[in-house]
Amino acid sequence: MRILTTSFLIAILFMAILNFFDIEIWIKAAYNLVSFIKILGVKYSLLNEALFVVWETFVMAIFGVSLGTIFAYLLAPVATPIITATIVSMPLRIIANMVRAIPAIFWAILFVILLGPGPRAGALALAVYTSGYLIKFFYESLESSDKDLVDTLKVMGLKRFTLAFAVYASVKKQIISHIFFMLEYNVRSAAIIGFVGAGGVGYYILQYISLLDYQATVTYILVTMALVISIDVLSYLVRSRI
Amino acid sequence: MYRKFRASGDFYIPAIELIDVKIGYGNEMILKGVNLKVYPGEKVAIMGRSGSGKTTLLKTISGLLKPFKGSVRIFGRDLYQERFLNGKIAYIPQNIGLINSANVLYNVLLARASLKPINFLLNIWSRRDQKDAMDVLDIVKLRDKFLSKVEKLSGGEKQRVAIARALYQGADILLADEPVSNLDLETAAEVLNVITEVSQKGIAIVAVMHDIQLTHKYFDKIYILEKGVLREKN
């Protein structure tokens, strides 16, 4: 309750600072919304093209997650003091933090410079970014595992990768959940990195926005949304079967 | 698979020997010079009030905690010079330390992960390994449940899986932290019968116990840990 009250008070304070209480703004916003909705719609003629582009985005996202998962799965045990000495784990954590601190779009710019524009650059950008995130998610999952289990495994003689893989088995649900989260996140990121020419749906959305073709934009956004929702449903189905 | 009684010459060497072990956290001393000898096949119970350091004692024997002073010898060899002695010791902590989302067989096979890391990483085991695992599940009477997920088992069954794992590991020493504390009397007796059977194979048992009657019935020696010192109960 205290968290809720504090958040509420901070929100109210910032609404005042940002002038949200000016009623005129809201009247104007409502008017703009109505005019905007009037010009919205779906261009069914673009559906095939949108599906192909979203498929390309999905392939980029899948590649990014797969490569990112491989790196993270192998590196996260090295980044946690429950498995590896602190002198090794801490520097790796710092490197993973640095990778994560750089937004996906900057990685995309870097790979567009290195490899030229197209989905290849985007896929690699997503892989690097995903690695940074998943390393953190994975080592946090390893650290949240039952401490008694880790003790038992150590006494049994398990160390390094055998220890890591045994602990992974105990947090399998969390790991799969993180992978699906990143897949969904990558689809959304792929929509943004397309802005800098790294392939995917973002490039097309940017083109249609600049042409003020909102119906085409809506078509692309709806197909992207359908993909994100499908991934979420798939994630739920997979996790419920584990 | 698991060793029967050790060679008779070894029998005079204690499986576990603690010599003046002192350990603590910060300035607080938990164990203030503990001496203990446990021989192969012997069942020793450690009793004492909550917070008296019983778990610390088990963790010290298992090699998880290193004492400030004194030494821990396993079959005459210093524990801290030979980290965990390649699985000679099996440790069952208070909440058992099993992978709840995995099945019984996986949890048992896990005990050979350090000996056969490739098999473990690929989760491909030879027929011999699987047969051995099924044999130990027979001993603890859980053969029928080898594919059941651990989270679906009762408290007593979980304890028996942990004991099966220790047998499969080929451990010479079994350390159990309150193995029957959350079980009803009948189930507790079942678990302690299995522990007795295990000790008859020459495995030294050290268990933290609370129930005085069960302890008297099932254990060879009882030690009381009080104010950091271990003394044998007559």
Side-chain angles (χ1 to χ4, degrees):
Chain A
M1 195 60 197
R2 202 175 288 173
I3 294 173
L4 204 61
T5 318
T6 316
S7 306
F8 180 74
L9 290 174
I10 291 172
I12 291 287
L13 176 71
F14 278 84
M15 278 171 88
I17 291 172
L18 296 169
N19 212 13
F20 273 152
F21 294 119
D22 186 351
I23 196 81
E24 250 179 58
I25 292 173
W26 296 109
I27 294 168
K28 202 174 165 191
Y31 176 76
N32 286 342
L33 183 67
V34 171
S35 357
F36 187 59
I37 286 171
K38 273 184 190 165
I39 57 166
L40 287 183
V42 177
K43 260 191 181 170
Y44 292 101
S45 57
L46 278 177
L47 210 55
N48 270 348
E49 183 192 289
L51 281 170
F52 175 76
V53 172
V54 168
W55 167 249
E56 184 186 85
T57 308
F58 183 61
V59 169
M60 282 165 60
I62 285 272
F63 173 82
V65 165
S66 307
L67 203 61
T69 301
I70 294 168
F71 279 118
Y73 208 81
L74 297 174
L75 288 176
V78 188
T80 170
I82 64 163
I83 291 167
T84 310
T86 317
I87 195 158
V88 180
S89 60
M90 283 305 151
L92 184 60
R93 275 184 186 221
I94 292 168
I95 293 169
N97 279 338
M98 282 159 62
V99 171
R100 216 169 45 246
I102 300 169
I105 197 157
F106 288 102
W107 289 111
I109 291 168
L110 175 70
F111 284 107
V112 166
I113 292 167
L114 295 180
L115 302 170
R120 214 169 24 215
L124 281 175
L126 291 177
V128 173
Y129 190 67
T130 304
S131 307
Y133 254 97
L134 283 183
I135 287 176
K136 179 185 164 67
F137 288 161
F138 287 0
Y139 74 63
E140 281 181 353
S141 295
L142 291 172
E143 286 167 14
S144 72
S145 65
D146 176 12
K147 195 178 175 302
D148 275 349
L149 170 71
V150 179
D151 282 350
T152 313
L153 297 171
K154 282 183 178 171
V155 175
M156 263 163 40
L158 273 70
K159 48 193 147 193
R160 299 188 197 105
F161 276 98
T162 46
L163 178 61
F165 276 64
V167 182
Y168 269 136
S170 74
V171 288
K172 197 159 64 178
K173 262 190 190 178
Q174 282 181 46
I175 296 294
I176 288 173
S177 172
H178 292 324
I179 292 170
F180 273 104
F181 172 78
M182 279 316 292
L183 181 61
E184 187 193 312
Y185 189 91
N186 276 357
V187 170
R188 284 183 276 126
S189 282
I192 303 295
I193 62 173
F195 290 4
V196 293
V201 71
Y203 173 77
Y204 292 85
I205 290 177
L206 186 71
Q207 296 305 314
Y208 286 119
I209 288 176
S210 56
L211 292 170
L212 302 180
D213 189 344
Y214 293 117
Q215 293 192 350
T217 308
V218 167
T219 310
Y220 274 80
I221 289 172
L222 284 178
V223 178
T224 310
M225 268 170 66
L227 178 62
V228 169
I229 292 166
S230 310
I231 292 170
D232 192 49
V233 172
L234 185 68
S235 163
Y236 173 75
L237 290 175
V238 171
R239 277 182 292 125
S240 60
R241 274 161 199 264
I242 295 169
Chain B
M1 177 187 39
Y2 38 80
R3 268 149 251 146
K4 296 257 175 188
F5 283 88
R6 296 182 67 81
S8 57
D10 279 2
F11 223 85
Y12 297 100
I13 302 173
I16 303 164
E17 188 176 13
L18 267 63
I19 306 164
D20 195 28
V21 166
K22 290 179 182 168
I23 194 164
Y25 304 105
N27 290 329
E28 193 192 354
M29 289 298 281
I30 309 286
L31 305 180
K32 301 170 182 169
V34 166
N35 292 291
L36 176 71
K37 276 183 188 175
V38 184
Y39 288 90
E42 204 173 22
K43 286 173 292 168
V44 166
I46 309 287
M47 302 187 82
R49 288 185 182 163
S50 298
S52 61
K54 302 183 293 295
T55 300
T56 304
L57 177 61
L58 283 197
K59 284 191 172 180
T60 309
I61 301 171
S62 71
L64 287 166
L65 295 175
K66 193 175 179 179
F68 294 146
K69 210 181 156 219
S71 69
V72 179
R73 293 177 179 278
I74 304 297
F75 292 104
R77 289 148 74 186
D78 192 286
L79 176 63
Y80 298 100
Q81 281 170 11
E82 308 183 36
R83 294 282 285 173
F84 303 127
L85 299 158
N86 292 327
K88 267 191 190 304
I89 304 171
Y91 171 56
I92 306 176
Q94 266 182 44
N95 62 3
I96 312 174
L98 294 171
I99 299 176
N100 288 315
S101 55
N103 64 33
V104 169
L105 185 64
Y106 183 89
N107 272 279
V108 174
L109 288 166
L110 195 60
R112 287 197 186 161
S114 61
L115 295 174
K116 300 185 172 182
I118 303 293
N119 294 62
F120 166 67
L121 294 179
L122 300 175
N123 200 18
I124 298 171
W125 298 89
S126 67
R127 281 180 178 218
R128 173 76 195 273
D129 287 323
Q130 293 188 37
K131 187 188 170 298
D132 289 349
M134 294 306 284
D135 286 348
V136 292
L137 286 172
D138 245 347
I139 295 172
V140 298
K141 297 173 184 70
L142 280 175
R143 192 186 179 92
D144 298 344
K145 297 207 169 176
F146 74 103
L147 283 179
S148 303
K149 283 196 174 181
V150 169
E151 63 199 1
K152 301 236 163 99
L153 301 182
S154 68
E157 288 172 332
K158 284 181 185 173
Q159 281 292 349
R160 276 152 45 200
V161 174
I163 294 167
R165 188 173 63 184
L167 283 171
Y168 187 68
Q169 185 185 327
D172 293 311
I173 294 166
L174 173 62
L175 308 171
D177 199 349
E178 303 194 21
V180 296
S181 60
N182 294 320
L183 307 179
D184 60 77
L185 205 61
E186 197 182 333
T187 316
E190 265 175 40
V191 170
L192 290 169
N193 281 329
V194 172
I195 287 180
T196 304
E197 213 175 309
V198 167
S199 77
Q200 283 163 358
K201 296 177 192 305
I203 296 172
I205 313 277
V206 180
V208 169
M209 292 290 293
H210 277 302
D211 188 304
I212 192 84
Q213 280 179 326
L214 283 174
T215 309
H216 271 293
K217 189 175 170 190
Y218 285 96
F219 286 83
D220 305 319
K221 281 184 185 168
I222 301 171
Y223 286 89
I224 309 289
L225 186 60
E226 200 173 32
K227 294 177 181 165
V229 180
L230 199 63
R231 61 177 174 80
E232 193 174 347
K233 188 174 184 291
N234 294 322

